[in-house]
Amino acid sequence: MAVASNFLIGANDEHGLNPPTAGKRTPVMPYINRSFYENEFNKQAKLDFILACLRCGFNVLDIKPEVQDISVSTRVVRANRAGLSLLVTFAYNAFGDGSNFNSSQGIEVYYSPYNSFAAQSERLSNDVYENVVARTGRIGRFVGRLSVGVLSNVRCPSTLIEAGYMTNFEEAKLMLNPVFVRNVGEGACEGVCQFLDVPYVGLNIENYPTIRQGSNGNFVKILQYLLNEYGFNLEVDGAFGGNTLRAVRTFQANNNLTQDGIVGRNTWNALLNLNPQQVVLRRGSRNSGVLFLQKYLLSFLYPITSLDGIFGRETENAVRDFQQENGLTVDGIVGANTWRAILNGRGRPNPN
């Protein structure tokens, strides 16, 4: 088996979100009267991939950390200057002019025959395809050839994942589903591990060590990335210093945890939301579990205008509507039964 720390993995997401790249969006979604933008999926899937790769011990470089669109040529230059071991790009597909839903669906993965490492890129693509399809349970269409810059012009094996069709109603909803998105990132990491003959380290709490001020390394980077997802603005440098300590204590306070600044099992659980059903949420809750809930509700097409982790009137109304439509007790409280229905649900149907 190879050693993960010997490799530098590149991560890339297609298109930008501030402002959104023109044309890269779903048709207007019913019930909420807005589109989902491709980069709302791409950027989160890339982050979940980065977190998985760090957990497995890889060195990782995000070649497009910006939220706006960055030219392909700039990203290729960044990748080639870094000397990547390989590059993985996240994208979401569309069929037709993008204004209407249709039946096209499924996962496609691409490589370029013009890449200097074409044979390795094809093998990497097959490994990624196999694992993303298996982990998500979605239809796999094929591994194909595509001559675009991030596949053809980078000097390392390179693959691009089209994780679904945003012009397919059910797959459009999945773009914001936090478990589906995480599974795409995890599946891509599993494929990379398979390609490089590196052990895959699973997404379970036992694999997250206790860290504290003075700790260094990949798990501190994971912590910093996750804290930034919850509104902090930390430099992801892998060093657990004063700024990270203060952010951890604030996060712990917001999640009713002991404010000791030590990231152990309970804090990791809150950061990762691996078992959201263990926490009862209601009006007034303000924590990471609420943000996870809000992402699910929005992906199910209940109107959530702000993903802020605050269980206010809008979130309560969405919960009550979900409970009413799924034969649950309508109390606005997210307990075991409501969580079960959410985690096993598919969201609102297409009314057309």
Side-chain angles (χ1 to χ4, degrees):
M1 300 291 282
V3 178
S5 59
N6 291 338
F7 301 101
L8 176 59
I9 307 303
N12 175 46
D13 59 305
E14 287 295 277
H15 314 300
L17 195 56
N18 188 23
T21 304
K24 304 300 181 180
R25 61 180 181 270
T26 70
V28 174
M29 304 295 282
Y31 308 103
I32 60 173
N33 196 35
R34 86 156 174 101
S35 297
F36 292 161
Y37 287 88
E38 183 180 354
N39 198 258
E40 291 184 88
F41 165 82
N42 297 345
K43 191 169 184 64
Q44 186 63 50
K46 180 187 69 175
L47 175 60
D48 287 327
F49 171 71
I50 289 172
L51 296 177
C53 287
L54 288 170
R55 188 183 66 244
C56 291
F58 291 111
N59 301 299
V60 184
L61 176 66
D62 183 352
I63 71 164
K64 182 187 165 289
E66 299 88 353
V67 294
Q68 69 269 26
D69 212 348
I70 299 296
S71 70
V72 170
S73 60
T74 296
R75 286 179 276 151
V76 168
V77 167
R78 290 174 178 176
N80 289 337
R81 283 179 177 171
L84 300 178
S85 303
L86 58 82
L87 176 64
V88 178
T89 295
F90 293 87
Y92 224 78
N93 220 332
F95 181 79
D97 64 8
S99 61
N100 296 293
F101 292 112
N102 53 61
S103 61
S104 295
Q105 62 178 316
I107 294 169
E108 301 168 9
V109 177
Y110 290 93
Y111 70 96
S112 171
Y114 303 108
N115 182 288
S116 300
F117 300 85
Q120 294 96 320
S121 294
E122 182 179 12
R123 185 162 62 86
L124 169 63
S125 297
N126 278 293
D127 289 341
V128 166
Y129 174 81
E130 173 189 326
N131 283 280
V132 171
V133 169
R135 183 167 282 267
T136 61
R138 300 300 300 172
I139 293 172
R141 287 171 61 89
F142 53 76
V143 173
R145 297 181 176 191
L146 184 66
S147 299
V148 295
V150 293
L151 295 178
S152 300
N153 299 333
V154 293
R155 295 193 291 269
C156 64
S158 183
T159 188
L160 184 150
I161 305 164
E162 296 276 13
Y165 275 78
M166 55 188 156
T167 45
N168 178 286
F169 178 71
E170 292 298 329
E171 293 192 343
K173 289 190 293 182
L174 288 175
M175 291 170 68
L176 269 63
N177 182 300
V179 170
F180 171 78
V181 178
R182 175 185 279 172
N183 281 336
V184 172
E186 288 288 334
C189 178
E190 286 182 279
V192 166
C193 288
Q194 184 172 314
F195 173 73
L196 294 173
D197 194 30
V198 167
Y200 170 72
V201 178
L203 179 63
N204 55 70
I205 202 66
E206 287 75 18
N207 290 327
Y208 289 80
T210 297
I211 56 176
R212 64 193 75 210
Q213 188 171 23
S215 297
N216 292 279
N218 275 14
F219 282 93
V220 178
K221 290 182 180 180
I222 291 171
L223 170 66
Q224 292 165 333
Y225 271 120
L226 289 170
L227 287 169
N228 287 344
E229 283 294 285
Y230 295 118
F232 298 93
N233 188 27
L234 297 171
E235 180 184 359
V236 180
D237 59 4
F240 198 136
N243 290 337
T244 300
L245 175 64
R246 284 186 285 274
V248 168
R249 285 178 169 160
T250 300
F251 178 85
Q252 289 172 329
N254 292 341
N255 287 270
N256 299 313
L257 300 168
T258 301
Q259 298 166 49
D260 56 8
I262 299 171
V263 183
R265 188 183 188 93
N266 291 337
T267 301
W268 280 124
N269 264 322
L271 285 162
L272 294 164
N273 278 302
L274 297 182
N275 298 292
Q277 65 273 22
Q278 293 179 349
V279 180
V280 176
L281 302 175
R282 52 171 51 87
R283 182 80 173 266
S285 297
R286 302 167 65 99
N287 54 45
S288 59
V290 176
L291 178 58
F292 186 83
L293 168 69
Q294 290 172 329
K295 289 180 178 180
Y296 245 115
L297 290 170
L298 182 56
S299 77
F300 282 179
L301 304 183
Y302 295 91
I304 301 290
T305 55
S306 181
L307 298 171
D308 57 8
I310 300 172
F311 199 129
R313 178 180 299 174
E314 182 182 61
T315 301
E316 182 180 39
N317 288 341
V319 169
R320 288 179 176 274
D321 287 344
F322 176 84
Q323 290 170 329
Q324 177 68 45
E325 294 169 16
N326 287 272
L328 300 165
T329 300
V330 182
D331 57 8
I333 299 171
V334 184
N337 290 337
T338 299
W339 271 125
R340 190 178 301 110
I342 289 171
L343 296 173
N344 293 319
R346 297 178 60 186
R348 285 174 154 171
N350 191 341
N352 300 318

